Amino acid sequence: MSGPLEGVRVLELAGLGPAPHAGMQLADMGADVVRVVRPGAAAHERAGNAHVQRGRTVVVADLKDEGARPGLAGLVRRADVLIEGFRPGVAERLGLGPRECHALNPGLVYARVTGWGQDGPLSGRGGHDINYIALTGALHAIGTADEPVPPLSLVGNYGGGSMFVVTGVLAALLRRTRTGRGDVVDVSTVDGTCALLQPILELRGRQEWSDRRQDNLLDGGRPYYRTYACADGRHMAVGAIEPKFYANLVAGLGLAAADLPAQDDPEGRPALAKSFADAFARYPREQWEEVFRDLDACVTPVLSFAEAAAHPHIEARRTLVDGPEGLVATGAPRFASASGTGAPTPPVSRTATLAEAVEAWQS
């Protein structure tokens, strides 16, 4: 696949979570990614689909097998980037740590991603997305007033993990063009999540964000920034922060501003929220979609995945498309030099032996 990373060779040691997601993004941008999976890996970890494992040359090899070492070394010598998501110390025990790989290829960008990081008291412990974001304060801030609610795996593994792998890899590649030297990119989901939280931490530092859930501007604590149930049980999302959007929200709901508490009156928030809730509850979501279709009020329907794929805006940009195994996100960002104004076509994977992958990179 052509793209801004065409010609960049990436060796991905197969794992779970943020590492393969980072490999997907690099492949989507045109990188030549060889993904090494263990014998007996599940079918979804191999080629033949257009989801997270898409766009790779998939090689089956046992990293503990001495017979695979020459082939793996051949790939390391010719790679620009290596991505691994093992626990700290595992790659070193396999003879594939940064020191060993840089001895073969000093210009290699070696990217490693873990939940806790390569050091620190918890670095050797297991964990999942919910654990990582719990330790950062992010999970505490998300949910209802009564309890935290896990926000899928988006905040930790992918927002704080894979996105920082890609950022770090691209930064290290750019530096290599000036110095000729490779680098080690140490990505921790905990570190990345904290970086994502910086805008909220800034508000908190200015005393504009409290540690109580649903008490703040962007967590459902304001009547003009939350979701409301419609008569059919479906929901509308309201983000009418600015005065012009708020005025259009009130007008669209058929309410009179003079009869409502002021938009930012703390004492009036319960009454204002009730007025909005009562209004939305009068009609089904479809009717409210029609009301706000051409009214610029930052009001949108809350769609399921199936509904999202059929939305005119998503359809027009081909952001989500039907694939052989369900919905597929076509990739982001887009580059005019690679795909014009249209959405890219998700690249497909192919299988190869270790020897074939080395030979392809030799040529």
Side-chain angles (χ1 to χ4, degrees), residues 246 250 255-262:
Y246 180 79
V250 172
L255 302 173
D259 298 333
L260 300 172

Side-chain angles (χ1 to χ4, degrees), residues 22 147 221 232 265:
E147 61 183 352
D232 56 1
D265 174 13

Side-chain angles (χ1 to χ4, degrees), residues 1-2 23-24 28 51 58 64 81 106 178 201-202 218 224 236 252 258 281 327 334 359:
M1 179 182 177
S2 65
M24 180 199 80
D28 284 355
H51 292 293
V58 180
K64 299 178 181 179
V81 179
R178 299 193 300 269
L201 297 176
E202 180 178 341
L218 305 176
Y224 50 82
M236 294 291 286
L327 286 178
R334 301 178 186 184
E359 182 180 358

Side-chain angles (χ1 to χ4, degrees), residues 102-160:
H102 280 144
L104 296 171
N105 181 355
L108 181 70
V109 172
Y110 191 108
R112 50 197 342 186
V113 55
T114 59
W116 305 113
Q118 294 297 315
D119 51 35
L122 296 178
S123 60
R125 295 278 292 276
H128 287 290
D129 186 277
I130 190 172
N131 308 118
Y132 308 139
I133 67 173
L135 214 67
T136 67
L139 181 57
H140 179 273
I142 299 170
T144 68
D146 296 326
E147 61 183 352
V149 176
L152 304 182
S153 294
L154 302 179
V155 173
N157 279 341
Y158 305 121

